[in-house]
Amino acid sequence: MAKVTAPIKISGTLDDLNFVITSDGNNYVRMKGKTGITAEAFRNNPIFNPIREQGKEWGYCSVKSKSFRQLVPLFFNQAKDGSFAGRTIKLVSEILQEDRAKPKGYKKLETAYHSEAVPELVTGFEGNRNRPLAKTLRTDYSYDPHSSNFTLPDFCPETKIDWPEAHATHLTIQLATAVWNPENETVETLYSPEVNIAKYEREKQTVTLTAPTLECDLWKMVFLFIGFTVKSGNTFKMLHRKHNTATLIACYK
C-alpha cells in the first residue's frame, strides 16, 4: 500500500487502483485485490469438496422428490402452498441422511428409505403449510393402522373446524393410501370414498373413513384431505387450494 501525497484527497477506485482515506486523514492507494474463484479451481480444489457434495446431493434429491410430489395428486393439486416443492426436496434430503454407510455426495435414497426413522421424518408433512391440520381440525382424531380406520368422534363441523371462508357451505373429508418407491421413482395410490358434511349440521356425529389397503414391503403412507366447498344446486365447487388441508397422518409397514 502506498501513501498519496497531493493537495487533494482521493477516494474510490480507478482501474486497478483503490484509493482510501483512513480515519487519521492519511490517503493511501493499493492495487485492487482479485476476488472470486475460477470454475477450474472450484472443480479441482479439495477445499470445495463439501460444497460440491452438498450440491450433488441437493440435485439428486430434487430429482427424486418429483415422484414424491405425485403420491396423492388429487389432494396436493387442491391443497398446497408456494413452498411445497422446496419442502419436498428438503424432506427427501432428510431421509437421504439415513444412509449411514456412504459418505456425503454418494448416499442412496433406496438404502436410506429402509430406515426405521422414516415414519418420524415424514409423518405430519403438509401439502399446504399455511393450513396445517392442527389449525384446520379443532378436535382429536384417531387412526388405527390395523383396521385402516380414521375416526372423528362427537364431531360438530361448525365448531370443530376452522372454516376459511364465510361462504363455504360444506367440507369434504377423504383418505388416501400411497406407496412410494424411490429407487424406480414410481408411486401407487388408492383413495377412499369422500364424505361431504354441511357446515351447519347441528347434531354431533362420529365420522369414520377407511383407508384403502396396499400390499407391499415398502412404507405405506396415509394422507388426510380436508377441503372446503360451496354448494350450488346439486354441485359442489372446491375453494382455492390455499384454503384446504392435505396432511400425511401415518406411515407404517
Side-chain angles (χ1 to χ4, degrees):
M1 181 181 294
K3 187 174 183 179
V4 178
T5 303
I8 60 172
K9 302 290 186 181
I10 306 173
S11 65
T13 301
L14 178 63
D15 293 332
D16 290 333
L17 300 177
N18 282 335
F19 293 87
V20 180
I21 302 174
T22 61
S23 59
D24 58 7
N26 291 319
N27 201 177
Y28 295 94
V29 61
R30 62 189 175 192
M31 294 292 293
K32 185 169 62 175
K34 293 183 179 180
T35 59
I37 59 169
T38 65
E40 181 179 1
F42 181 77
R43 287 194 301 269
N44 299 322
N45 194 328
I47 198 173
F48 298 115
N49 282 349
I51 300 174
R52 287 195 298 268
E53 290 161 359
Q54 180 65 32
K56 181 179 178 181
E57 278 196 357
W58 190 258
Y60 174 78
C61 293
S62 178
V63 172
K64 292 292 187 179
S65 68
K66 292 178 182 178
S67 55
F68 183 91
R69 293 196 289 274
Q70 294 302 312
L71 276 171
V72 281
L74 183 61
F75 292 176
F76 286 154
N77 288 343
Q78 298 180 109
K80 66 180 177 182
D81 65 286
S83 69
F84 176 69
R87 289 188 294 107
T88 58
I89 299 173
K90 182 176 182 293
L91 178 62
V92 172
S93 178
E94 291 171 352
I95 296 172
L96 183 65
Q97 304 315 308
E98 291 301 311
D99 181 356
R100 310 290 186 179
K102 299 184 183 67
K104 199 169 189 65
Y106 298 91
K107 299 178 184 293
K108 292 296 181 182
L109 196 57
E110 50 265 34
T111 302
Y113 199 56
H114 290 290
S115 170
E116 294 300 318
V118 169
E120 182 179 355
L121 291 172
V122 303
T123 300
F125 179 80
E126 299 282 358
N128 182 5
R129 188 173 58 177
N130 298 322
R131 290 284 293 175
L133 183 59
K135 176 182 178 181
T136 303
L137 186 60
R138 295 171 168 172
T139 186
D140 293 332
Y141 69 88
S142 64
Y143 178 76
D144 181 1
H146 299 291
S147 64
S148 300
N149 284 342
F150 169 87
T151 305
L152 283 173
D154 298 326
F155 182 63
C156 177
E158 185 179 4
T159 59
K160 300 301 183 181
I161 289 288
D162 178 28
W163 292 82
E165 292 286 339
H167 61 269
T169 61
H170 291 71
L171 64 87
T172 297
I173 304 177
Q174 192 173 12
L175 293 179
T177 303
V179 171
W180 179 45
N181 188 330
E183 183 173 7
N184 55 27
E185 299 176 46
T186 58
V187 300
E188 185 177 2
T189 309
L190 292 176
Y191 296 91
S192 75
E194 62 183 40
V195 174
N196 294 301
I197 304 173
K199 179 178 182 179
Y200 296 110
E201 286 189 11
R202 300 296 182 183
E203 292 186 6
K204 293 182 179 180
Q205 56 184 301
T206 296
V207 178
T208 302
L209 291 89
T210 302
T213 302
L214 287 171
E215 298 297 332
C216 71
D217 294 329
L218 296 171
W219 295 108
K220 300 175 184 66
M221 301 183 189
V222 179
F223 291 83
L224 172 67
F225 174 75
I226 300 178
F228 296 90
T229 59
V230 178
K231 186 177 181 182
S232 178
N234 293 322
T235 63
F236 293 88
K237 181 181 179 181
M238 187 69 66
L239 295 188
H240 189 275
R241 65 191 185 192
K242 68 181 180 181
H243 300 298
N244 302 323
T245 299
T247 309
L248 203 167
I249 61 170
C251 178
Y252 62 94
K253 287 185 179 178

